[in-house]
Structure formats: structure tokens, C-alpha cells
Amino acid sequence: MYKQLTSEQRYTISVLLQRKCTRNEIAKAIGVSNSTITRELRRNSSTRGVYKWDKAQRQAEKRKHQAPGNRSIKSFVRNMAIELLKREQWSPEQISGYLARRGYKISHETVYAIIRKDKYENRGCLYKNCRHRLKHRHRPVGKRVVIPNRVSIHQRPTEADGKRFGDFEMDTIVGRNNQGAILTIVERSTNMLFMKKLEHGKDANELAQAAVMLLAPYKGHIRTITTDNGTEFCNHKVIAKGLDTTVYFTDPYSSWQKGAIENANGLVRQYIPKSSPIKHIKDKDIDGITAKINTRPRKKLNFSTPFEEFFNYLL
């Protein structure tokens, strides 16, 4: 196993080089392999090939402290990261970015390592605060449904690329055994989420009224809405008229074409698993979950929050 050379060994290397000793002789003198000497000279010699033991020692120590695996995380920073995970259920990347903005350095890989160690070595429960719980989910492919008067996503303006403000995506989340539903809408450029529980499940009339109610305060700023081909969106003309916009539909089996709302639904599922009976969830709970998600720092927003960025556009 390779071990770091000591300052005494580097001093000996320097002396023996001055005596014109070969690398093999130097290696035997300090008890290391020839490759160790070769690597040491390659790493720590000057551009002219001059080896000075004191400079070599300083360079080696500098690299040691710069190496990610050797960084020591202060206990209070580690505790802050764990507290944010447990209290806010933020992702490791969000935690890392949030703390970095406040002058505390901890990488998202380190946060993941803490979670994995807690799960597999300590049998702890930190992983339950992660959206994916260290697992990957597989989404079932739905049945194709034809919606009258639908406008294809391929007719949507090219400017609606997720960078400008005012382009929205819409979907529903259903409960256990398809009992109960929640309408979810997200603004693509800021990831601002809007949610409302639907009392009659995936009823098209109720959904259309709920969508108009949620977005009516921002009517002048709504450029497009994109959704999938679920039958609950059959009354898209009502939504389009009520918000003075156009509703566009993705291609069948192409959930990636509305990635922002798919991601938002994944965040919601952290609080409302598929096994949850949505009909028993209260409106105040929906509002609380929406607030939590909208106040999470996002890497996309330079670790600002959707709430801050959304209302900055409205000022």
C-alpha cells in the first residue's frame, strides 16, 4: 500500500540526488519502491527538473489538504446539514448550496455519504427524509387517450423553452387505488409550485375551475400551459379562456416533454406517497407542503428559492 513520504525521506532523496545516485539506489536507501521515487520526482520537481526537499514537502502538504477525501467537516456544519435534511427534507445538493451561501462548506457527496452510513451502518432513518430514499422509482406507462381540440406541443412557440417567465406545466397526483387527486401546476423558469386538492378526484370540470382559480391572480403573465393527455384535462378550453392563454399537450408516452412538473410531483411525493389516501388530506396540509417546496433553495436558481424568484418577476 502506498504511503506518503516523510520530510526525512524527502531530505534523503535530495542529498542522494546531489551525489548522483540512481533511482534504484535511492529507493533502497529509504525503503520504498522505484515507482515511488519516480512519482515523487515527477510531482515535486521544478519545471527545470530540480528537486528541493523542503519545496517538495510543502507541495505534498498542500495537495493533501486540497484532496476532497481528506477534508475534515466541522461537527457543527455536519449537524446543520443533518438538521436541514430532517426538518426541511431538502436534497443534499440543496443543503450544500444553501450552506455554501452562508460560508459553510460541505459537498453534496459528503451529505450523501452521511445518509448512506447512517442507513447501512447505523440502521438509522435519515434516508427517509430523501425524496428517493436512496432508491429509483419506475413510472408505469399510461393508456393513450384522445382529447378533442387538443393543441400539440409541437405548435408551442419555440420561446417557451423554460427560460422565460410565464410558461407553466400542469398535472395531477392521485392517491391510493386512484382515490382522490391533487392538481399541480409549476412555472417552468422559477419552479414555483401551485397545488389544490380536487374533492371529486380527476373530474375535468372541477379541475378546470381549480386551475383558473390558482392562476387567476397572475393572468397577465401566463404565456403557455403544457400538460399530458389525461382525460381530466378534457376541459382545456375552459382553462385557456379563463386565463387568456393556450393549453398545449405532450406526445403520448412522453412525460419528459413536461419535465418541470414531473420533478415537482416527485417533490410532493416525498410528503404524499402513492400509498396515501388523498381524500383524507386537509387543504391546510396541502398549503403547508406547497410552502415547504417553494422555499427550498434550488441549484438552478443559484440556490435562491422559487418563491423569491417568482415574485421578483412580478415586482
Side-chain angles (χ1 to χ4, degrees), residues 7-208:
S7 59
E8 290 81 4
Q9 287 174 316
R10 288 192 169 95
Y11 176 79
T12 303
I13 292 173
S14 180
V15 171
L16 295 179
L17 284 172
Q18 292 177 17
R19 295 178 181 177
K20 308 299 182 181
C21 293
T22 66
R23 294 184 182 182
N24 184 47
E25 292 172 335
I26 296 172
K28 288 181 179 180
I30 64 174
V32 298
S33 65
N34 286 357
S35 61
T36 298
I37 301 300
T38 300
R39 181 167 50 245
E40 174 66 14
L41 295 178
R42 185 179 67 247
R43 281 182 161 189
N44 295 322
S45 294
S46 68
T47 54
R48 292 183 297 175
V50 178
Y51 181 89
K52 293 184 177 181
W53 76 270
D54 53 344
K55 183 177 179 181
Q57 184 68 22
R58 288 195 298 270
Q59 289 177 332
E61 289 176 351
K62 183 178 179 181
R63 280 195 299 269
K64 180 180 178 180
H65 291 296
Q66 287 178 341
N70 290 322
R71 289 183 185 146
S72 58
I73 304 300
K74 294 182 179 180
S75 59
F76 77 93
V77 177
R78 183 180 185 277
N79 292 338
M80 283 194 295
I82 293 174
E83 180 61 26
L84 287 171
L85 176 67
K86 293 166 65 176
R87 187 182 71 236
E88 303 295 342
Q89 292 82 48
W90 289 353
S91 72
E93 194 169 48
Q94 289 166 344
I95 292 170
S96 174
Y98 176 84
L99 291 178
R101 291 186 67 182
R102 284 150 182 80
Y104 305 112
K105 291 187 177 181
I106 181 171
S107 69
H108 67 276
E109 291 95 342
T110 299
V111 180
Y112 271 119
I114 292 171
I115 297 170
R116 284 192 291 268
K117 182 176 180 180
D118 179 75
K119 178 180 180 180
Y120 296 115
E121 295 184 20
N122 303 330
R123 304 294 181 181
C125 299
L126 284 181
Y127 74 95
K128 293 184 178 180
N129 293 286
C130 295
R131 179 174 52 149
H132 298 298
R133 300 195 175 192
L134 302 184
K135 295 181 180 179
H136 295 285
R137 296 181 299 140
H138 299 279
R139 296 181 182 272
V141 177
K143 182 180 179 180
R144 181 172 179 174
V145 177
V146 177
I147 295 177
N149 302 314
R150 66 187 292 277
V151 183
S152 170
I153 191 173
H154 300 290
Q155 296 176 258
R156 192 177 67 180
T158 56
E159 295 82 5
D161 57 0
K163 296 179 181 178
R164 72 176 183 179
F165 181 77
D167 294 303
F168 292 75
E169 291 179 359
M170 177 170 59
D171 203 357
T172 54
I173 290 176
V174 296
R176 184 174 60 196
N177 299 323
N178 290 322
Q179 297 297 311
I182 298 172
L183 170 65
T184 57
I185 303 175
V186 71
E187 198 285 317
R188 297 174 66 195
S189 69
T190 63
N191 294 126
M192 182 73 168
L193 175 66
F194 303 85
M195 291 202 299
K196 181 169 177 54
K197 178 181 175 182
L198 303 175
E199 297 298 333
H200 299 95
K202 297 168 71 172
D203 178 78
N205 292 325
E206 183 184 4
L207 184 145

Side-chain angles (χ1 to χ4, degrees), residues 197-230:
K197 178 181 175 182
L198 303 175
E199 297 298 333
H200 299 95
K202 297 168 71 172
D203 178 78
N205 292 325
E206 183 184 4
L207 184 145
Q209 294 173 8
V212 172
M213 185 202 74
L214 284 173
L215 297 184
Y218 320 106
K219 182 175 179 179
H221 299 278
I222 302 171
R223 299 171 184 264
T224 66
I225 300 177
T226 303
T227 189
D228 60 25
N229 297 276

Side-chain angles (χ1 to χ4, degrees), residues 219-273:
K219 182 175 179 179
H221 299 278
I222 302 171
R223 299 171 184 264
T224 66
I225 300 177
T226 303
T227 189
D228 60 25
N229 297 276
T231 55
E232 65 269 30
F233 301 114
C234 283
N235 281 356
H236 59 94
K237 289 294 185 181
V238 174
I239 300 173
K241 182 178 180 180
L243 297 175
D244 192 21
T245 188
T246 302
V247 178
Y248 297 90
F249 289 83
T250 62
D251 296 327
Y253 319 122
S254 303
S255 60
W256 57 269
Q257 291 179 338
K258 55 179 184 66
I261 195 64
E262 292 289 332
N263 180 68
N265 286 348
L267 296 177
V268 175
R269 284 299 191 187
Q270 186 175 350
Y271 301 95
I272 307 175

